[in-house]
Amino acid sequence: MRYLLAVLLLAAATMRPLAAQTAAPTPTTDTLSSLDFLLGSWAAKTDATAGTAGANASGTYAFRRDLDGHVLSRTSSADSCKGPQSFDCTHHDQLTIFADPHGLGASHNTSIFALYLDSEGHVIYYTVSTPDPHTAVFLSQGPSSAPKFRLTYHLEGIGPKAVMSGKFQMAAPGSDDFHSYLEWSGTKM
């Protein structure tokens, strides 16, 4: 019994210094910071002649940090909308942008992804790149038999007169020839 007690005390004595040592926190980088130019509320007005949707719409959208800063969320609302019968003026959607903490996106040459969902039942998985400090390009991922989608945001200028423009483009399956479906622009609110 004394032997067992001695072994336990020795184990406790050697474990105590180990328990007191804590691993230094690993510095984390904010992968999403390259998209901070998107943050805020923006007015938006479509250019019906610039895309095949043929819609005239105005409204607002906002990008904000969510889930303790680990994701960016985009929400939108339409103030007015007029378009052909095939265009859904009551459309609602959400876009959630997140960093890949496990490096699974290495095969896509990115560590930022996005998930798009809308009231029409569409689901689009995007990889996200930032070719320059004021541009974000969302490129859909899917089978080669599916159409491709590209969503681009670009900020021109700085301060209250800065203009954010956007394009939602589509390409036929197997093609990289993108055509604009909807284009918009507006200033920060």
Side-chain angles (χ1 to χ4, degrees):
M1 181 68 132
R2 279 188 193 175
Y3 177 73
L4 180 59
L5 184 58
V7 169
L8 288 174
L9 287 174
L10 181 60
T14 58
M15 295 299 256
R16 189 170 181 195
L18 292 175
Q21 296 176 2
T22 58
T26 305
T28 58
T29 58
D30 182 7
T31 306
L32 297 177
S33 65
S34 62
L35 300 172
D36 281 349
F37 73 93
L38 296 170
L39 294 174
S41 296
W42 300 88
K45 185 172 182 169
T46 64
D47 179 355
T49 63
T52 59
N56 283 311
S58 64
T60 61
Y61 62 95
F63 282 94
R64 64 182 171 83
R65 290 284 186 142
D66 204 356
L67 300 176
D68 292 332
H70 295 286
V71 302
L72 290 177
S73 298
R74 187 201 67 202
T75 55
S76 61
S77 64
D79 297 330
S80 67
C81 179
K82 198 174 199 180
Q85 189 174 6
S86 61
F87 188 81
D88 183 4
C89 280
T90 63
H91 175 94
H92 292 88
D93 61 54
Q94 67 182 46
L95 180 68
T96 303
I97 307 162
F98 56 95
D100 172 22
H102 305 293
L104 300 174
S107 62
H108 296 291
N109 296 321
T110 187
S111 60
I112 305 175
F113 296 88
L115 174 63
Y116 170 89
L117 304 162
D118 71 20
S119 57
E120 298 173 57
H122 299 114
V123 176
I124 304 173
Y125 298 95
Y126 286 113
T127 56
V128 184
S129 63
T130 51
D132 65 59
H134 302 289
T135 305
V137 178
F138 298 73
L139 188 59
S140 69
Q141 301 300 306
S144 59
S145 60
K148 293 180 185 177
F149 304 101
R150 183 170 59 196
L151 174 63
T152 305
Y153 285 95
H154 178 73
L155 180 63
E156 192 69 41
I158 57 172
K161 293 186 179 187
V163 174
M164 182 74 75
S165 61
K167 291 181 188 180
F168 179 71
Q169 299 172 305
M170 298 185 286
S175 172
D176 287 328
D177 187 18
F178 285 92
H179 299 280
S180 285
Y181 177 72
L182 197 61
E183 295 189 16
W184 61 92
S185 65
T187 56
K188 203 169 210 177
M189 300 174 53

